[in-house]
Amino acid sequence: MPAPTLSASIVTFQTETQLFARALASLAAGIDVARRAGELSEACLVIIDNGPPETRRDVAGAMAAWPASAGPFEILAGHGNVGYGRANNLAIERVHSDFHLIMNPDVELEPSALVEALAAARAHPEVGMLAPAVYGDDGHLQYLCKRYPSVWVLFLRGFAPAMLRRRFARAIEHYEMRDVIADRFVPSVPLASGCFMLARTALLARVGGFDPRFFMYFEDYDLSLRVGREAQVAYVPRARILHHGGEASRKGWRHVAWFVRSAWRFFARHGWKLA
């Protein structure tokens, strides 16, 4: 059987140029490792720039970190800030690959991340989407695979003072799947993070990609649940990435408003859980 093909999409919006360049370089390195291991043949990249015209030069400048040997790329721009999910859909609708990688411009892949994820997909055909082990700048594991949330636990984790979070730490830890997310393969997790999702492209197309009604936040949870109805969503600890992102509450009131609005839409669609 020939090695699979890969497409990848990265959405940018006034992205810090050096961080984006590091993300691109790490993806290119991961593609090279996967090819040499026989887990990947062709690859291509789609950049969807949601930013204003004055930042396009920065995006183009960062592309110097993408070597031609990694595969062709294209930049989609001029459509405005259409949101994270809708922007990724612009790429998903135009690619023809076996696997599609959705990743943030603020992540860096370890060189073996792709080869480990692709090998896991080959070994587990029942898996439709894979999530990696994610580490923060402090070197600690980030628990980004989740169980179905409640309104209460979202408030605790995102907005409650530290004293209240400590008091209800067990509820937060259960939501973050800390009892199972460690150094072993987990064949079925309810929710995966959109900072890195490796999915079978045909499956993404079949479920319709992201729901464009989610402008920002919860579009990845919604997609996880819809994918999970047709295939497993798996955690692959040997696929490791570094994530430089932050929580909505640390990004200002506009992000808090987007978070609350998207949470409402998520629960209205999939079912309310208060506590």
Side-chain angles (χ1 to χ4, degrees):
M1 180 179 293
T5 58
L6 174 75
S7 55
S9 58
I10 303 177
V11 177
T12 61
F13 178 79
Q14 299 180 341
T15 301
E16 200 277 313
T17 305
Q18 291 186 350
L19 190 59
F20 180 34
R22 284 157 56 186
L24 292 168
S26 72
L27 175 58
I31 288 172
D32 181 60
V33 171
R35 279 179 175 150
R36 287 190 280 111
E39 294 289 350
L40 181 64
S41 57
E42 300 302 314
C44 67
L45 172 64
V46 182
I47 304 298
I48 311 96
D49 182 18
N50 279 0
E54 56 267 25
T55 64
R56 289 178 198 161
R57 182 177 297 179
D58 295 333
V59 173
M63 294 309 301
W66 181 257
S69 60
F73 74 87
E74 63 176 319
I75 301 175
L76 307 180
H79 49 265
N81 189 4
V82 297
Y84 185 78
R86 189 187 294 254
N88 270 300
N89 285 349
L90 294 175
I92 294 169
E93 292 164 358
R94 66 198 297 123
V95 298
H96 304 280
S97 59
D98 297 308
F99 290 92
H100 185 74
L101 172 63
I102 298 156
M103 65 176 270
N104 278 9
D106 63 353
V107 303
E108 294 180 72
L109 282 61
E110 287 200 355
S112 62
L114 268 182
V115 71
E116 294 290 352
L118 290 167
R122 175 171 49 81
H124 299 275
E126 71 280 5
V127 170
M129 188 161 69
L130 301 102
V134 184
Y135 292 83
D137 292 319
D138 58 4
H140 292 156
L141 181 65
Q142 295 181 347
Y143 294 90
L144 299 189
C145 290
K146 305 290 198 306
R147 292 186 171 97
Y148 195 88
S150 67
V151 175
W152 172 239
V153 81
L154 289 178
F155 167 75
L156 286 173
R157 191 175 181 274
F159 306 104
M163 181 179 68
L164 197 59
R165 290 200 302 272
R166 287 194 296 269
R167 181 177 178 183
F168 293 96
R170 185 171 297 179
I172 296 173
E173 290 171 0
H174 179 77
Y175 167 58
E176 295 177 342
M177 301 187 70
R178 292 189 180 228
D179 54 325
V180 295
I181 298 299
D183 58 356
R184 63 185 179 88
F185 178 85
V186 181
S188 184
V189 299
L191 307 174
S193 168
C195 73
F196 183 108
M197 290 173 152
L198 181 67
R200 300 184 193 276
T201 309
L203 176 58
L204 280 179
R206 192 159 67 246
V207 302
F210 287 100
D211 185 336
R213 293 174 295 178
F214 291 90
F215 178 76
M216 184 180 292
Y217 302 112
F218 290 91
E219 69 283 313
D220 49 357
Y221 288 7
D222 172 76
L223 179 63
S224 296
L225 291 176
R226 288 187 288 114
V227 166
R229 297 187 188 114
E230 302 203 16
Q232 291 183 347
V233 179
Y235 167 72
V236 185
R238 292 172 65 93
R240 295 163 57 107
I241 70 169
L242 177 65
H243 183 220
H244 301 285
E247 300 296 331
S249 59
R250 302 174 193 163
K251 296 180 180 179
W253 286 107
R254 179 179 295 182
H255 282 261
V256 171
W258 285 334
F259 183 90
V260 171
R261 183 169 58 186
S262 292
W264 183 280
R265 186 180 298 278
F266 174 82
F267 286 122
R269 177 172 190 173
H270 296 288
W272 288 89
K273 183 179 178 183
L274 299 180

